[in-house]
DNA sequence: ACACAAATTTGAATTGATAAAAATGTAAAC
DNA sequence: GTTTACATTTTTATCAATTCAAATTTGTGT
């Protein structure tokens, strides 16, 4: 790897001149510029981003961090794609960090991101009081939150209307005649779970169905808890006739359990999940689901972040996108 | 952010001493060490990874790059998880770059990774002659290839036995009595597609089924081509009675088309896909598939890479893992 | 108390870039 | 022929760390 110095020597000028050729380009003679460019080409010179960052703290690293709780969840994959597309269009590269719902891991990644002096961060915090993320925010790093905000902090947020999405799904179940509608929730402490539960409760109430707390199960937002909690529900004395699942992976886990018990969907038990997937139509049966515009969440978040990097003082925006109930054959 | 200098001043010693306390720790008096550690704690000092990397090229940045062709493909998500788990265990962070099968994007990402002076790279190259990856290899960067190698280059590789995996699937279809077995391939130029086709052809031949080139369709390894190519196959004058799909996303696309046409699986058309997914059992019908140990591929690749970073001269290893045919209800 | 060795600490150079100050060169103005 | 203005280029300092040679302190034995 050749350095500025090598180029300068080869072109017979000083490093400062080479630097000017590469950067703004003002105040440099055409003849000199040509010499330098030739040397750069011959040496296949590439500037060291590391040295650049060290020198000028203000200099953009053109790196943004993306902090995600669970990359196995297709929802976050779509968010990632949205973020990445916008980042790429704007000449940013994305460092993706999957903390797998482990706050120690989260801290390690955030430390690294900060030490790499990223320009900004898109984060789905572990929960609303996520001190690791709050610390960076207090340090002045541009941050956009997705899927959940930070309590008491004025920060850019892109979320969906979780309460309404859940309401629509459960309302539809109720109006379709299901009486014992269960809810398998993700981690209780994350806001999206709470809002979805709120929508669930409201829809039941509005349809005159009394709440049965045995029909609400709390898990960890992963596949395994979908399997287990669905099992619990179905093996209870008074099982549900419909299930509303709190996310992607829970839905797939619940489906697995239902199929293992060879129950007919929706005749014996109906199911609607939060989060749609490209291949939901190929599931057995084609799955009804509350679609979140995950890709767009990613795009919007990245747009907001790039704006904020450009103007750190802009007042924060909370953006709420709408969900859409996609009806197929599972309810 | 405080620097070495701040710590040195606060502790009343030179920066060299502070550096020694932080790093190896040899040749430093216990009293001094205590003073320095106290100052570090008080200032919440964290060493700058940027400065460290600039200073000593040999010093580990504890960063590895992961270059992936398509993050939407769950196979690569599992590889990523494997890589990440091992990286985390060994105190490395992973920069994930998804080049979305776009070689220009690939080049941009690789340039960035090199400029960030990563310690090593795990790459699924675009194809066997991928000049972008070869360039880094020639520059001496430790590299491990997954899923496909680099032609004419002696490099660590972790692959699965694609030919045998495909053979097992197609052989099973043939032995089950299917006569017109189609193959929907991913991108023709990638090795895994070629080897899978080889297994397909061999299995047909060994079962006395003559090859019909109309039954081989080449796509781009993505969902859309699964949809379209399956459509082409099914609408032809002499449609197949079974389909072997070249990967995950193609399988899901093909399933979508089959369902749209309301064909019974496996009665009217059977299907076996390359790549298994956690939720394959919940598909309609539960999908038979050739399982690749994706998570293990990731783990192994990362282990090899960390070894190679430690010993750049170690002679390259080609590791071939085995696939397993998982039979469910789709054939 | 002295010489010598060992342990500890420091100073200065280095890494690759940027930015501000200083220096050089060129041409027009007086 | 000198001054001045302007364009161009170089010098030097800086960023935060590592590293090695040099300097200093400490310890040991006589």
């Amino acid at each position: 790897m050749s350095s500025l110095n090598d180029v300068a020597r080869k072109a017979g000028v000083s490093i400062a001149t080479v630097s000017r050729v590469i950067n703004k380009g003002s105040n440099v003679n055409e003849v000199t510029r040509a010499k330098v460019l030739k040397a750069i080409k011959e040496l296949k010179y590439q500037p060291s981003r590391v040295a650049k960052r060290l020198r000028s703290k203000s200099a953009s690293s053109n790196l943004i961090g993306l902090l995600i709780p669970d990359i196995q969840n297709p929802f976050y994959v779509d968010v990632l794609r949205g973020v990445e597309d916008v980042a790429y269009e704007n000449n940013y590269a994305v460092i993706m960090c999957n903390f797998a719902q482990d706050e120690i891991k989260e801290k390690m990644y955030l430390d690294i991101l900060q030490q790499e002096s990223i320009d900004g961060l898109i984060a789905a915090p572990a929960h609303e009081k996520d001190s690791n993320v709050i610390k960076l925010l207090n340090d002045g790093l541009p941050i956009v939150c997705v899927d959940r905000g930070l309590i008491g902090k004025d920060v850019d947020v892109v979320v969906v209307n979780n309460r309404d999405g859940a309401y629509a799904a459960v309302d539809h179940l109720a109006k379709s005649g299901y009486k014992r509608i269960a809810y398998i929730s993700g981690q209780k402490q994350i806001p999206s779970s709470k809002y979805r539960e709120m929508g669930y409760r409201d829809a039941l109430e509005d349809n005159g169905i009394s709440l049965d707390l045995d029909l609400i199960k709390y898990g960890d937002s992963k596949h395994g808890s979908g399997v287990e909690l669905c099992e619990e529900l179905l093996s209870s004395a008074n099982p549900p006739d419909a299930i509303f699942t709190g996310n992607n992976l829970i839905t797939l886990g619940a489906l697995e359990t239902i199929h293992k018990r060879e129950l007919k969907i929706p005749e014996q038990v109906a199911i609607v999940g939060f989060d749609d997937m490209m291949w939901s139509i190929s599931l057995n049966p084609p799955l009804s689901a509350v679609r979140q515009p995950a890709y767009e969440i990613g795009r919007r978040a990245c747009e907001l972040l790039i704006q904020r990097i450009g103007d750190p003082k802009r007042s924060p925006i909370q953006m709420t996108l709408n969900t859409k109930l996609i009806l197929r054959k599972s309810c």
Side-chain angles (χ1 to χ4, degrees), chain A:
Chain A
M1 213 68 220
S2 47
S3 75
L4 252 200
N5 227 310
D6 303 326
V7 176
R9 191 165 32 227
K10 177 137 195 153
V13 298
S14 78
I15 58 168
T17 304
V18 180
S19 176
R20 235 173 303 105
V21 169
I22 292 166
N23 295 314
K24 39 244 165 161
S26 71
N27 281 349
V28 37
N29 187 294
E30 277 311 315
V31 183
T32 319
R33 180 197 305 279
K35 265 195 306 190
V36 171
L37 289 176
K38 181 156 163 283
I40 287 177
K41 187 166 286 178
E42 283 176 13
L43 290 171
K44 290 180 189 156
Y45 165 76
Q46 284 193 321
S48 152
R49 297 167 62 94
V50 175
K52 189 179 287 199
R53 288 228 291 289
L54 176 60
R55 180 56 233 274
S56 39
K57 186 77 186 169
S58 62
S60 170
S61 60
N62 278 25
L63 278 179
I64 62 181
L66 175 62
L67 183 77
I68 275 182
D70 182 9
I71 189 64
Q72 273 192 284
N73 186 329
F75 168 73
Y76 289 113
V77 174
D78 285 340
V79 172
L80 162 62
R81 288 196 311 112
V83 169
E84 212 195 20
D85 282 354
V86 173
Y88 184 67
E89 288 160 17
N90 290 276
N91 246 287
Y92 281 84
V94 178
I95 304 189
M96 204 277 307
C97 301
N98 170 40
F99 67 95
Q101 297 186 11
D102 171 349
E103 287 197 47
I104 301 192
K105 201 163 181 175
E106 184 195 22
K107 178 162 170 29
M108 178 191 101
Y109 273 129
L110 288 178
D111 282 349
I112 289 176
L113 288 176
Q114 186 170 36
Q115 286 163 25
E116 293 295 335
S117 60
I118 54 171
D119 291 334
L121 173 69
I122 295 171
H127 46 77
E128 274 183 302
K129 293 172 185 165
D130 188 323
S131 58
N132 294 322
V133 175
I134 290 174
K135 177 176 160 287
L136 292 202
L137 188 66
N138 291 340
D139 285 354
L141 185 72
I143 292 183
V144 175
C145 290
V146 292
D147 200 45
R148 40 196 104 160
L150 291 169
I151 212 159
K153 288 284 162 185
D154 210 14
V155 59
D156 287 322
V157 183
V158 182
V159 289
V160 298
N161 199 322
N162 284 297
R163 186 260 171 208
D164 289 5
Y167 186 97
V170 177
D171 184 61
H172 181 264
L173 287 172
K175 295 238 181 339
S176 304
Y178 297 101
K179 295 292 174 210
R180 290 188 55 72
I181 304 171
Y183 171 46
I184 305 182
S185 164
Q187 288 181 291
K188 199 172 179 176
Q189 76 269 28
I190 65 177
S192 52
S193 297
K194 290 184 210 161
Y195 287 120
R196 289 170 197 176
E197 181 171 341
M198 206 179 289
Y200 164 81
R201 286 171 180 249
D202 289 354
L204 289 187
E205 190 178 331
D206 291 357
N207 282 278
I209 301 179
S210 62
L211 186 66
D212 177 352
L213 286 177
D214 290 341
L215 289 179
I216 302 185
K217 297 282 179 185
Y218 300 99
D220 64 358
S221 306
K222 300 184 77 172
H223 178 264
S225 79
V227 172
E228 288 159 24
L229 297 176
C230 184
E231 181 64 39
E232 279 183 32
L233 283 170
L234 295 178
S235 59
S236 73
N238 195 359
D241 56 4
I243 301 176
F244 171 56
T245 45
N247 81 5
N248 253 333
L249 300 178
I250 294 171
T251 308
L252 292 169
L255 272 181
E256 200 174 308
T257 297
I258 297 174
H259 286 142
K260 207 168 288 165
R261 294 180 150 246
E262 299 189 343
L263 296 175
K264 280 247 161 66
I265 304 173
E267 290 80 3
Q268 295 179 281
V269 59
I271 183 167
V272 183
F274 217 99
D275 294 330
D276 197 27
M277 295 156 285
M278 196 206 310
W279 28 269
S280 287
I281 195 176
S282 301
L283 289 169
N284 178 24
L287 185 74
S288 300
V290 179
R291 171 180 293 165
Q292 294 197 62
Y295 177 80
E296 198 186 344
I297 292 173
R299 285 198 68 98
R300 296 287 184 181
C302 197
E303 284 164 10
L304 284 181
L305 183 63
I306 287 171
Q307 282 173 25
R308 174 156 302 285
I309 290 169
D311 174 14
K313 301 205 191 310
R314 162 171 76 59
S315 70
I317 292 173
Q318 274 81 49
M319 195 177 275
T320 304
L321 305 178
N322 284 322
T323 59
K324 189 177 173 191
L325 180 61
I326 310 284
L327 294 174
R328 297 197 183 92
K329 301 282 176 58
S330 68
C331 71

